[in-house]
Amino acid sequence: MWQTKNTGNEYTTKSKGEKTMKVIYTKSYAELSEKAAELIAAQVQGKAESVLGLATGSTPIGTYEKLIEMNKAGKVDFSKVTSINLDEYVGLTGDHDQSYRYFMNDKLFNHVNINKENTNVPNGVAADIEAECKRYDALIEEKGGIDLQLLGIGHNGHIGFNEPCDIFEKNTHRVQLGETTIQANARFFGSMDEVPKEAVTMGIQAIMMAKKVLLIANGPDKKDIIEKAVNGPVTPQVPASILQFHPDVTVICCFE
Ligand code: PGA
């Protein structure tokens, strides 16, 4: 459908509404990570008080490593940044080594000059998960929304933990994880029984209201789902496909 090829490895996909998705194909994970880190750093350089929507998973690790390097080299200053993470497992405390709070501290926050009080991850052990979801949406609104949202993508097209579904879930919500997601996560836990079956995830609305979206995907196994997300029909069965309606999306991928 509506694809125009640019020079080099950059492509622009035009939708009928003239909105564009920029897709950058990189040759290595290192290049992907560097380009993604540069875009995030540029956001913070342009607006010191940026609200960054951040993601977990294996893909962003290299991006965070680059950002740590840049921070240590004095190229990017996180002291005024607020971060809002996409999701958290229900039932894991922040000190559990598989919780997303732990991941973010370990992979980024402990190594840069961000004020931890300005870092936000849903509380997966809140007594009232529904109230926690409402608190999270109110927090996003109070911060004025997200300036740049970093996203990974699941093999089933999930963004955050918005799993394939009959509708696009608007708000932060509790979600039953899909079978493929549970299986993909099992590698991090001792046994299947320990793998969380539920999570709290930001909804599609906050993601779509982010001013910029940066989607990263690494590995040949992500090629098909990126093709569906970028060029396929927009459907809640491929949650990332909704990004075709977002005015400012950059996709950086490496399928090598
Ligand atoms: P991954 O996960 O980066 O570990 O592939 C991405 C995701 O499921 O969002």
Side-chain angles (χ1 to χ4, degrees), residues 58-117:
S58 53
T59 315
I61 292 175
T63 305
Y64 294 151
E65 284 170 359
K66 278 277 155 207
L67 286 172
I68 292 167
E69 265 175 40
M70 293 171 93
N71 182 244
K72 291 203 190 306
K75 291 182 186 153
V76 59
D77 174 11
F78 290 99
S79 62
K80 298 200 175 86
V81 164
T82 294
S83 71
I84 302 184
N85 260 77
L86 283 164
D87 45 16
E88 179 60 282
Y89 290 119
V90 169
L92 298 194
T93 54
D95 57 3
H96 188 291
D97 67 3
Q98 292 305 325
S99 75
Y100 286 167
R101 161 52 77 179
Y102 186 98
F103 176 102
M104 290 309 301
N105 288 346
D106 186 44
K107 303 292 184 219
L108 184 65
F109 301 151
N110 289 346
H111 312 287
V112 295
N113 69 334
I114 198 165
N115 180 349
K116 281 260 184 77
E117 286 178 9

Short mmCIF file of all heavy atoms in Angstrom, two decimals, residues 58-117:
data_model
loop_
_atom_site.label_atom_id
_atom_site.label_comp_id
_atom_site.label_asym_id
_atom_site.label_seq_id
_atom_site.Cartn_x
_atom_site.Cartn_y
_atom_site.Cartn_z
N SER A 58 14.21 -7.30 25.90
CA SER A 58 15.62 -7.41 25.54
C SER A 58 16.03 -6.32 24.54
O SER A 58 17.17 -5.86 24.55
CB SER A 58 15.92 -8.79 24.96
OG SER A 58 15.02 -9.05 23.91
N THR A 59 15.11 -5.87 23.70
CA THR A 59 15.48 -4.93 22.63
C THR A 59 16.03 -3.60 23.13
O THR A 59 17.04 -3.13 22.61
CB THR A 59 14.28 -4.73 21.68
OG1 THR A 59 13.71 -6.00 21.39
CG2 THR A 59 14.71 -4.06 20.38
N PRO A 60 15.42 -2.96 24.13
CA PRO A 60 15.94 -1.64 24.52
C PRO A 60 17.24 -1.65 25.32
O PRO A 60 17.80 -0.58 25.57
CB PRO A 60 14.82 -1.03 25.38
CG PRO A 60 13.76 -2.03 25.50
CD PRO A 60 14.18 -3.30 24.86
N ILE A 61 17.73 -2.82 25.70
CA ILE A 61 18.91 -2.86 26.57
C ILE A 61 20.10 -2.10 25.94
O ILE A 61 20.75 -1.28 26.60
CB ILE A 61 19.30 -4.32 26.94
CG1 ILE A 61 18.20 -4.90 27.83
CG2 ILE A 61 20.65 -4.38 27.64
CD1 ILE A 61 18.38 -6.38 28.17
N GLY A 62 20.35 -2.34 24.66
CA GLY A 62 21.46 -1.66 23.98
C GLY A 62 21.24 -0.16 23.90
O GLY A 62 22.19 0.63 24.00
N THR A 63 20.00 0.24 23.71
CA THR A 63 19.66 1.67 23.67
C THR A 63 19.98 2.31 25.02
O THR A 63 20.58 3.39 25.09
CB THR A 63 18.15 1.84 23.36
OG1 THR A 63 17.86 1.15 22.15
CG2 THR A 63 17.76 3.30 23.24
N TYR A 64 19.60 1.62 26.10
CA TYR A 64 19.88 2.15 27.43
C TYR A 64 21.39 2.20 27.69
O TYR A 64 21.88 3.16 28.29
CB TYR A 64 19.14 1.32 28.50
CG TYR A 64 17.62 1.43 28.40
CD1 TYR A 64 16.78 0.40 28.81
CD2 TYR A 64 17.02 2.59 27.90
CE1 TYR A 64 15.39 0.50 28.72
CE2 TYR A 64 15.63 2.70 27.80
CZ TYR A 64 14.82 1.65 28.21
OH TYR A 64 13.45 1.76 28.11
N GLU A 65 22.11 1.19 27.21
CA GLU A 65 23.58 1.22 27.38
C GLU A 65 24.18 2.46 26.71
O GLU A 65 25.05 3.12 27.25
CB GLU A 65 24.21 -0.06 26.82
CG GLU A 65 24.00 -1.25 27.74
CD GLU A 65 24.40 -2.59 27.12
OE1 GLU A 65 24.82 -2.61 25.93
OE2 GLU A 65 24.26 -3.61 27.81
N LYS A 66 23.70 2.74 25.53
CA LYS A 66 24.19 3.93 24.80
C LYS A 66 23.84 5.21 25.55
O LYS A 66 24.64 6.15 25.63
CB LYS A 66 23.55 4.00 23.40
CG LYS A 66 24.23 3.13 22.40
CD LYS A 66 25.44 3.85 21.83
CE LYS A 66 26.44 2.83 21.32
NZ LYS A 66 27.83 3.30 21.35
N LEU A 67 22.61 5.26 26.06
CA LEU A 67 22.21 6.47 26.80
C LEU A 67 23.05 6.65 28.06
O LEU A 67 23.39 7.78 28.43
CB LEU A 67 20.72 6.39 27.17
CG LEU A 67 19.74 6.60 26.01
CD1 LEU A 67 18.31 6.32 26.46
CD2 LEU A 67 19.85 8.03 25.45
N ILE A 68 23.41 5.54 28.70
CA ILE A 68 24.27 5.62 29.89
C ILE A 68 25.63 6.20 29.49
O ILE A 68 26.15 7.12 30.12
CB ILE A 68 24.43 4.22 30.55
CG1 ILE A 68 23.09 3.77 31.14
CG2 ILE A 68 25.52 4.23 31.62
CD1 ILE A 68 23.03 2.29 31.53
N GLU A 69 26.17 5.68 28.37
CA GLU A 69 27.46 6.21 27.86
C GLU A 69 27.36 7.70 27.60
O GLU A 69 28.24 8.48 27.95
CB GLU A 69 27.79 5.57 26.51
CG GLU A 69 28.70 4.36 26.56
CD GLU A 69 28.84 3.77 25.15
OE1 GLU A 69 28.96 4.53 24.16
OE2 GLU A 69 28.80 2.53 25.06
N MET A 70 26.28 8.10 26.93
CA MET A 70 26.12 9.52 26.57
C MET A 70 25.97 10.38 27.82
O MET A 70 26.47 11.49 27.89
CB MET A 70 24.90 9.70 25.65
CG MET A 70 25.10 9.07 24.29
SD MET A 70 23.57 9.07 23.32
CE MET A 70 23.77 10.58 22.42
N ASN A 71 25.26 9.85 28.81
CA ASN A 71 25.08 10.59 30.06
C ASN A 71 26.42 10.76 30.77
O ASN A 71 26.77 11.85 31.23
CB ASN A 71 24.07 9.85 30.95
CG ASN A 71 23.79 10.58 32.25
OD1 ASN A 71 24.09 10.09 33.33
ND2 ASN A 71 23.21 11.76 32.16
N LYS A 72 27.20 9.69 30.81
CA LYS A 72 28.50 9.75 31.49
C LYS A 72 29.46 10.70 30.75
O LYS A 72 30.30 11.35 31.36
CB LYS A 72 29.12 8.36 31.60
CG LYS A 72 28.38 7.45 32.57
CD LYS A 72 29.25 6.33 33.10
CE LYS A 72 28.45 5.28 33.88
NZ LYS A 72 27.64 5.80 34.96
N ALA A 73 29.29 10.79 29.43
CA ALA A 73 30.14 11.68 28.63
C ALA A 73 29.63 13.12 28.65
O ALA A 73 30.17 13.99 27.97
CB ALA A 73 30.22 11.17 27.20
N GLY A 74 28.55 13.37 29.39
CA GLY A 74 28.02 14.73 29.51
C GLY A 74 27.22 15.18 28.30
O GLY A 74 26.95 16.36 28.13
N LYS A 75 26.80 14.20 27.45
CA LYS A 75 26.08 14.59 26.23
C LYS A 75 24.58 14.68 26.45
O LYS A 75 23.87 15.28 25.63
CB LYS A 75 26.37 13.58 25.12
CG LYS A 75 27.80 13.66 24.64
CD LYS A 75 28.04 12.69 23.51
CE LYS A 75 29.51 12.67 23.13
NZ LYS A 75 29.94 11.41 22.55
N VAL A 76 24.08 14.04 27.48
CA VAL A 76 22.64 14.10 27.75
C VAL A 76 22.42 14.11 29.27
O VAL A 76 23.07 13.36 29.99
CB VAL A 76 21.87 12.96 27.03
CG1 VAL A 76 22.33 11.59 27.45
CG2 VAL A 76 20.37 13.09 27.22
N ASP A 77 21.52 15.00 29.66
CA ASP A 77 21.30 15.24 31.09
C ASP A 77 19.87 14.81 31.44
O ASP A 77 18.91 15.36 30.92
CB ASP A 77 21.50 16.75 31.34
CG ASP A 77 21.16 17.15 32.76
OD1 ASP A 77 20.97 16.27 33.62
OD2 ASP A 77 21.08 18.38 33.00
N PHE A 78 19.74 13.84 32.33
CA PHE A 78 18.41 13.32 32.69
C PHE A 78 17.85 13.96 33.96
O PHE A 78 16.83 13.51 34.47
CB PHE A 78 18.47 11.80 32.86
CG PHE A 78 18.67 11.05 31.57
CD1 PHE A 78 19.93 10.60 31.20
CD2 PHE A 78 17.60 10.79 30.73
CE1 PHE A 78 20.13 9.91 30.01
CE2 PHE A 78 17.78 10.10 29.55
CZ PHE A 78 19.04 9.66 29.18
N SER A 79 18.54 14.98 34.48
CA SER A 79 18.17 15.46 35.83
C SER A 79 16.76 16.03 35.89
O SER A 79 16.14 16.03 36.95
CB SER A 79 19.19 16.48 36.33
OG SER A 79 19.19 17.60 35.47
N LYS A 80 16.24 16.49 34.76
CA LYS A 80 14.88 17.08 34.80
C LYS A 80 13.85 16.18 34.11
O LYS A 80 12.70 16.56 33.95
CB LYS A 80 14.91 18.46 34.14
CG LYS A 80 15.81 19.45 34.86
CD LYS A 80 15.41 20.87 34.47
CE LYS A 80 16.19 21.90 35.26
NZ LYS A 80 17.49 22.23 34.65
N VAL A 81 14.30 15.02 33.68
CA VAL A 81 13.41 14.12 32.92
C VAL A 81 12.46 13.37 33.86
O VAL A 81 12.82 13.01 34.98
CB VAL A 81 14.27 13.10 32.12
CG1 VAL A 81 13.45 11.91 31.64
CG2 VAL A 81 14.95 13.79 30.94
N THR A 82 11.24 13.17 33.37
CA THR A 82 10.29 12.27 34.03
C THR A 82 10.14 11.05 33.14
O THR A 82 10.08 11.18 31.91
CB THR A 82 8.91 12.95 34.18
OG1 THR A 82 9.05 14.06 35.07
CG2 THR A 82 7.85 12.00 34.73
N SER A 83 10.12 9.87 33.73
CA SER A 83 9.89 8.67 32.92
C SER A 83 8.60 7.99 33.37
O SER A 83 8.26 8.00 34.55
CB SER A 83 11.06 7.70 33.01
OG SER A 83 11.07 7.12 34.29
N ILE A 84 7.92 7.42 32.39
CA ILE A 84 6.67 6.69 32.66
C ILE A 84 6.77 5.37 31.91
O ILE A 84 6.75 5.36 30.67
CB ILE A 84 5.44 7.50 32.20
CG1 ILE A 84 5.41 8.87 32.90
CG2 ILE A 84 4.16 6.71 32.47
CD1 ILE A 84 4.18 9.71 32.61
N ASN A 85 6.91 4.29 32.64
CA ASN A 85 7.04 2.99 31.95
C ASN A 85 5.71 2.44 31.52
O ASN A 85 4.65 2.78 32.05
CB ASN A 85 7.76 1.99 32.84
CG ASN A 85 9.21 1.86 32.45
OD1 ASN A 85 10.00 2.73 32.79
ND2 ASN A 85 9.55 0.82 31.71
N LEU A 86 5.78 1.57 30.53
CA LEU A 86 4.57 1.02 29.92
C LEU A 86 3.81 0.05 30.81
O LEU A 86 2.58 0.02 30.80
CB LEU A 86 4.95 0.24 28.66
CG LEU A 86 5.28 1.03 27.41
CD1 LEU A 86 5.99 0.13 26.42
CD2 LEU A 86 4.01 1.60 26.80
N ASP A 87 4.56 -0.81 31.54
CA ASP A 87 3.84 -1.93 32.14
C ASP A 87 4.60 -2.55 33.30
O ASP A 87 5.77 -2.24 33.54
CB ASP A 87 3.52 -2.99 31.07
CG ASP A 87 4.71 -3.28 30.15
OD1 ASP A 87 5.84 -2.90 30.50
OD2 ASP A 87 4.50 -3.87 29.08
N GLU A 88 3.91 -3.43 33.99
CA GLU A 88 4.51 -4.19 35.11
C GLU A 88 3.70 -5.46 35.31
O GLU A 88 2.50 -5.49 35.05
CB GLU A 88 4.49 -3.34 36.39
CG GLU A 88 5.06 -3.99 37.63
CD GLU A 88 6.53 -4.40 37.52
OE1 GLU A 88 6.80 -5.45 36.87
OE2 GLU A 88 7.40 -3.69 38.06
N TYR A 89 4.37 -6.51 35.75
CA TYR A 89 3.67 -7.75 36.07
C TYR A 89 2.84 -7.58 37.34
O TYR A 89 3.30 -6.96 38.31
CB TYR A 89 4.68 -8.87 36.34
CG TYR A 89 5.43 -9.33 35.12
CD1 TYR A 89 6.81 -9.22 35.06
CD2 TYR A 89 4.77 -9.90 34.04
CE1 TYR A 89 7.53 -9.67 33.96
CE2 TYR A 89 5.47 -10.35 32.94
CZ TYR A 89 6.85 -10.23 32.90
OH TYR A 89 7.54 -10.67 31.81
N VAL A 90 1.66 -8.17 37.33
CA VAL A 90 0.86 -8.22 38.56
C VAL A 90 1.49 -9.28 39.47
O VAL A 90 1.78 -10.40 39.03
CB VAL A 90 -0.62 -8.57 38.25
CG1 VAL A 90 -1.39 -8.90 39.53
CG2 VAL A 90 -1.29 -7.43 37.51
N GLY A 91 1.72 -8.89 40.71
CA GLY A 91 2.22 -9.85 41.71
C GLY A 91 3.70 -9.78 41.97
O GLY A 91 4.19 -10.42 42.89
N LEU A 92 4.45 -9.00 41.17
CA LEU A 92 5.89 -8.89 41.43
C LEU A 92 6.20 -7.54 42.08
O LEU A 92 5.77 -6.50 41.59
CB LEU A 92 6.72 -9.01 40.15
CG LEU A 92 6.65 -10.33 39.37
CD1 LEU A 92 7.78 -10.38 38.34
CD2 LEU A 92 6.71 -11.55 40.26
N THR A 93 6.94 -7.60 43.18
CA THR A 93 7.35 -6.35 43.83
C THR A 93 8.54 -5.76 43.07
O THR A 93 9.23 -6.47 42.32
CB THR A 93 7.79 -6.62 45.29
OG1 THR A 93 8.79 -7.64 45.27
CG2 THR A 93 6.62 -7.06 46.16
N GLY A 94 8.80 -4.50 43.29
CA GLY A 94 9.87 -3.81 42.57
C GLY A 94 11.25 -4.38 42.83
O GLY A 94 12.17 -4.15 42.04
N ASP A 95 11.41 -5.13 43.92
CA ASP A 95 12.74 -5.70 44.18
C ASP A 95 12.87 -7.13 43.63
O ASP A 95 13.93 -7.74 43.74
CB ASP A 95 13.12 -5.63 45.67
CG ASP A 95 12.10 -6.32 46.55
OD1 ASP A 95 11.13 -6.91 46.01
OD2 ASP A 95 12.26 -6.27 47.79
N HIS A 96 11.81 -7.67 43.03
CA HIS A 96 11.91 -8.97 42.35
C HIS A 96 12.74 -8.78 41.09
O HIS A 96 12.48 -7.85 40.32
CB HIS A 96 10.51 -9.48 42.01
CG HIS A 96 10.50 -10.89 41.48
ND1 HIS A 96 11.03 -11.25 40.26
CD2 HIS A 96 10.04 -12.04 42.03
CE1 HIS A 96 10.89 -12.54 40.07
NE2 HIS A 96 10.29 -13.05 41.13
N ASP A 97 13.72 -9.66 40.87
CA ASP A 97 14.65 -9.38 39.76
C ASP A 97 14.02 -9.54 38.38
O ASP A 97 14.66 -9.22 37.37
CB ASP A 97 15.95 -10.19 39.90
CG ASP A 97 15.75 -11.68 39.75
OD1 ASP A 97 14.61 -12.11 39.47
OD2 ASP A 97 16.74 -12.43 39.90
N GLN A 98 12.78 -10.01 38.29
CA GLN A 98 12.10 -10.04 36.99
C GLN A 98 11.03 -8.94 36.87
O GLN A 98 10.32 -8.89 35.87
CB GLN A 98 11.47 -11.41 36.74
CG GLN A 98 12.50 -12.51 36.53
CD GLN A 98 13.50 -12.18 35.42
OE1 GLN A 98 13.15 -11.56 34.41
NE2 GLN A 98 14.75 -12.58 35.59
N SER A 99 10.91 -8.13 37.91
CA SER A 99 9.92 -7.05 37.78
C SER A 99 10.48 -5.98 36.85
O SER A 99 11.70 -5.85 36.67
CB SER A 99 9.61 -6.44 39.15
OG SER A 99 10.68 -5.61 39.58
N TYR A 100 9.59 -5.23 36.26
CA TYR A 100 10.03 -4.21 35.33
C TYR A 100 10.61 -2.99 36.06
O TYR A 100 11.43 -2.27 35.51
CB TYR A 100 8.88 -3.82 34.39
CG TYR A 100 8.60 -4.91 33.36
CD1 TYR A 100 7.45 -4.90 32.60
CD2 TYR A 100 9.52 -5.95 33.15
CE1 TYR A 100 7.21 -5.89 31.65
CE2 TYR A 100 9.28 -6.94 32.21
CZ TYR A 100 8.12 -6.90 31.46
OH TYR A 100 7.89 -7.87 30.52
N ARG A 101 10.19 -2.77 37.30
CA ARG A 101 10.83 -1.71 38.10
C ARG A 101 12.30 -2.07 38.31
O ARG A 101 13.19 -1.25 38.13
CB ARG A 101 10.08 -1.54 39.44
CG ARG A 101 10.85 -0.85 40.52
CD ARG A 101 11.44 0.49 40.10
NE ARG A 101 10.47 1.57 40.03
CZ ARG A 101 10.80 2.82 39.69
NH1 ARG A 101 12.06 3.14 39.37
NH2 ARG A 101 9.88 3.76 39.63
N TYR A 102 12.55 -3.33 38.65
CA TYR A 102 13.94 -3.77 38.88
C TYR A 102 14.75 -3.62 37.58
O TYR A 102 15.86 -3.12 37.58
CB TYR A 102 13.92 -5.24 39.34
CG TYR A 102 15.29 -5.76 39.75
CD1 TYR A 102 15.67 -5.79 41.10
CD2 TYR A 102 16.20 -6.21 38.80
CE1 TYR A 102 16.92 -6.26 41.48
CE2 TYR A 102 17.46 -6.68 39.17
CZ TYR A 102 17.80 -6.71 40.51
OH TYR A 102 19.04 -7.17 40.87
N PHE A 103 14.15 -4.06 36.48
CA PHE A 103 14.81 -3.96 35.17
C PHE A 103 15.23 -2.52 34.88
O PHE A 103 16.36 -2.25 34.48
CB PHE A 103 13.85 -4.47 34.09
CG PHE A 103 14.36 -4.34 32.67
CD1 PHE A 103 14.85 -5.44 31.99
CD2 PHE A 103 14.32 -3.12 32.01
CE1 PHE A 103 15.31 -5.32 30.66
CE2 PHE A 103 14.78 -2.99 30.70
CZ PHE A 103 15.28 -4.09 30.03
N MET A 104 14.31 -1.59 35.07
CA MET A 104 14.61 -0.20 34.73
C MET A 104 15.70 0.38 35.62
O MET A 104 16.57 1.10 35.15
CB MET A 104 13.33 0.66 34.81
CG MET A 104 12.31 0.39 33.72
SD MET A 104 12.96 0.40 32.02
CE MET A 104 13.63 2.06 31.89
N ASN A 105 15.65 0.04 36.92
CA ASN A 105 16.70 0.51 37.81
C ASN A 105 18.05 -0.04 37.36
O ASN A 105 19.04 0.68 37.28
CB ASN A 105 16.43 0.07 39.25
CG ASN A 105 15.27 0.83 39.88
OD1 ASN A 105 14.84 1.86 39.37
ND2 ASN A 105 14.77 0.32 40.99
N ASP A 106 18.03 -1.36 37.07
CA ASP A 106 19.26 -2.07 36.76
C ASP A 106 19.85 -1.67 35.40
O ASP A 106 21.06 -1.55 35.24
CB ASP A 106 18.91 -3.58 36.77
CG ASP A 106 20.12 -4.44 36.61
OD1 ASP A 106 21.14 -4.15 37.26
OD2 ASP A 106 20.05 -5.41 35.83
N LYS A 107 18.98 -1.48 34.42
CA LYS A 107 19.45 -1.24 33.05
C LYS A 107 19.64 0.24 32.72
O LYS A 107 20.29 0.59 31.75
CB LYS A 107 18.49 -1.83 32.01
CG LYS A 107 18.23 -3.31 32.16
CD LYS A 107 19.47 -4.12 31.85
CE LYS A 107 19.19 -5.61 31.90
NZ LYS A 107 20.28 -6.38 32.48
N LEU A 108 19.01 1.12 33.50
CA LEU A 108 19.13 2.55 33.16
C LEU A 108 19.22 3.47 34.38
O LEU A 108 20.23 4.15 34.56
CB LEU A 108 17.95 2.98 32.27
CG LEU A 108 18.00 4.42 31.78
CD1 LEU A 108 19.19 4.65 30.84
CD2 LEU A 108 16.71 4.82 31.07
N PHE A 109 18.19 3.45 35.21
CA PHE A 109 18.07 4.52 36.22
C PHE A 109 19.25 4.57 37.19
O PHE A 109 19.67 5.66 37.59
CB PHE A 109 16.76 4.38 37.01
CG PHE A 109 15.50 4.43 36.18
CD1 PHE A 109 14.35 3.74 36.59
CD2 PHE A 109 15.45 5.14 34.98
CE1 PHE A 109 13.19 3.78 35.83
CE2 PHE A 109 14.28 5.18 34.22
CZ PHE A 109 13.15 4.50 34.65
N ASN A 110 19.78 3.39 37.58
CA ASN A 110 20.90 3.39 38.55
C ASN A 110 22.18 3.97 37.96
O ASN A 110 23.13 4.21 38.70
CB ASN A 110 21.21 1.97 39.03
CG ASN A 110 20.13 1.42 39.95
OD1 ASN A 110 19.29 2.17 40.43
ND2 ASN A 110 20.16 0.12 40.20
N HIS A 111 22.22 4.16 36.64
CA HIS A 111 23.48 4.52 35.99
C HIS A 111 23.46 5.90 35.36
O HIS A 111 24.43 6.29 34.71
CB HIS A 111 23.81 3.48 34.91
CG HIS A 111 23.68 2.08 35.42
ND1 HIS A 111 24.60 1.53 36.29
CD2 HIS A 111 22.72 1.15 35.22
CE1 HIS A 111 24.20 0.30 36.59
NE2 HIS A 111 23.07 0.05 35.96
N VAL A 112 22.33 6.61 35.46
CA VAL A 112 22.26 7.96 34.89
C VAL A 112 21.77 8.93 35.97
O VAL A 112 21.32 8.50 37.04
CB VAL A 112 21.31 8.02 33.65
CG1 VAL A 112 21.86 7.18 32.50
CG2 VAL A 112 19.89 7.61 34.01
N ASN A 113 21.84 10.23 35.66
CA ASN A 113 21.50 11.21 36.69
C ASN A 113 20.01 11.57 36.69
O ASN A 113 19.65 12.73 36.84
CB ASN A 113 22.36 12.48 36.51
CG ASN A 113 21.99 13.24 35.25
OD1 ASN A 113 21.48 12.67 34.29
ND2 ASN A 113 22.25 14.55 35.25
N ILE A 114 19.17 10.54 36.53
CA ILE A 114 17.73 10.81 36.64
C ILE A 114 17.36 10.80 38.13
O ILE A 114 17.99 10.08 38.91
CB ILE A 114 16.90 9.74 35.85
CG1 ILE A 114 15.48 10.24 35.57
CG2 ILE A 114 16.90 8.38 36.55
CD1 ILE A 114 14.73 9.44 34.50
N ASN A 115 16.39 11.61 38.49
CA ASN A 115 15.89 11.61 39.86
C ASN A 115 14.90 10.44 39.98
O ASN A 115 13.86 10.45 39.33
CB ASN A 115 15.21 12.95 40.14
CG ASN A 115 14.65 13.04 41.54
OD1 ASN A 115 14.57 12.04 42.26
ND2 ASN A 115 14.24 14.23 41.92
N LYS A 116 15.23 9.45 40.79
CA LYS A 116 14.37 8.25 40.87
C LYS A 116 12.92 8.60 41.22
O LYS A 116 12.00 7.89 40.83
CB LYS A 116 14.90 7.28 41.94
CG LYS A 116 16.07 6.44 41.50
CD LYS A 116 15.62 5.03 41.09
CE LYS A 116 16.82 4.18 40.75
NZ LYS A 116 17.54 3.71 41.92
N GLU A 117 12.75 9.70 41.94
CA GLU A 117 11.38 10.10 42.30
C GLU A 117 10.57 10.48 41.07
O GLU A 117 9.34 10.51 41.12
CB GLU A 117 11.41 11.27 43.28
CG GLU A 117 11.83 10.81 44.66
CD GLU A 117 11.92 11.95 45.65
OE1 GLU A 117 11.49 13.07 45.33
OE2 GLU A 117 12.44 11.69 46.73
#
